[in-house]
Amino acid sequence: MADKMLAKMYMLLLEATAGPKIAKRPGLRNALIGFVVAPAHGVALERAVFNLRAQGWDKVFVKNCKAISANPDRLTDPDHKAAAQKALKNGAAFIVFAGKAKRRKLNA
């Protein structure tokens, strides 16, 4: 119970390769947005990777992870809002973008 009170919502931008359990073509690299409830940044990263691997994704790469408001009503995109509400109930939720992720150099 105390863990939920201290937890924050994190929004992540990820890339992952579809494994054989995924309905998408295996080996296809996809971009994903994730919402994870966790007490700290490092825990959010671990939970996101663990949940995606459990769902059948491979080679998970986290591109960005930021703490956001734990109130899904503050999100303007309806898909993001629905995923954030699901994450509050289940601990994590992901949106998979259609198509192949493009390889790009990140400006850090």
Side-chain angles (χ1 to χ4, degrees), residues 13-52:
L13 177 61
L14 310 112
E15 275 188 16
T17 302
K21 292 195 309 189
I22 303 294
K24 297 181 176 296
R25 191 178 88 221
L28 185 66
R29 192 121 179 106
N30 290 93
L32 300 98
I33 287 183
F35 293 89
V36 177
V37 177
H41 184 269
V43 177
L45 297 174
E46 289 174 4
R47 287 183 182 173
V49 172
F50 176 82
N51 278 286
L52 286 172

Side-chain angles (χ1 to χ4, degrees), residues 30-99:
N30 290 93
L32 300 98
I33 287 183
F35 293 89
V36 177
V37 177
H41 184 269
V43 177
L45 297 174
E46 289 174 4
R47 287 183 182 173
V49 172
F50 176 82
N51 278 286
L52 286 172
R53 287 190 176 146
Q55 293 176 25
W57 293 92
D58 296 322
K59 299 177 187 168
V60 179
F61 175 69
V62 179
K63 293 180 134 190
N64 200 355
C65 177
K66 283 191 160 195
I68 62 168
S69 170
N71 181 359
D73 293 329
R74 296 191 67 188
L75 298 168
T76 55
D77 185 284
D79 292 332
H80 293 181
K81 189 181 291 189
Q85 289 170 340
K86 186 176 178 182
L88 284 174
K89 288 181 185 175
N90 303 330
F94 301 93
I95 299 170
V96 181
F97 289 97

Side-chain angles (χ1 to χ4, degrees), residues 1-6:
M1 185 71 149
D3 186 41
K4 281 218 175 210
M5 292 176 62
L6 298 174

